[in-house]
Amino acid sequence: MVVIRLSRAGAKKRPFFNIVATDSRNRRDGRFIERLGFYNPVASGKDESFRIAQDRLAHWQGVGAQLSPTVERLVNQSGKKAAA
């Protein structure tokens, strides 16, 4: 099954996550099919903390990919910010 989840990058104590579409059997930071965006939990000031390609997200959901709970929460939060 294809899942859209976070893949950790960045340095020690400075997390940075790529949002990727991958097979659910692959390791968290292992091989992935496509990079859809990023999440930077330590972004400050004018730095962008979250970005996702909405068209690619819709494509993957259309072919049956499942969102991880964290990615689903981030997408819902960004949708509320865009609507405001």
Side-chain angles (χ1 to χ4, degrees):
M1 175 177 74
V2 176
V3 64
I4 297 171
R5 66 180 177 204
L6 299 176
S7 175
R8 185 177 164 128
K12 182 176 170 182
K13 306 281 186 176
R14 298 279 304 163
F16 183 87
F17 298 94
N18 288 309
I19 300 170
V20 297
T22 184
D23 189 297
S24 62
R25 296 169 291 186
N26 291 341
R27 290 187 271 176
R28 179 191 71 182
D29 301 335
R31 187 173 57 184
F32 60 89
I33 302 167
E34 182 179 359
R35 181 179 180 269
L36 304 175
F38 68 85
Y39 170 56
N40 184 2
V42 295
S44 61
K46 293 185 178 181
D47 292 340
E48 190 175 11
S49 65
F50 178 76
R51 184 189 313 158
I52 192 160
Q54 292 293 337
D55 59 331
R56 297 308 297 163
L57 178 66
H59 164 77
W60 283 109
Q61 286 183 310
V63 295
Q66 299 292 310
L67 296 176
S68 73
T70 305
V71 172
E72 187 171 8
R73 178 180 54 83
L74 291 169
V75 168
N76 289 339
Q77 284 177 353
S78 73
K80 290 178 184 173
K81 286 181 185 176

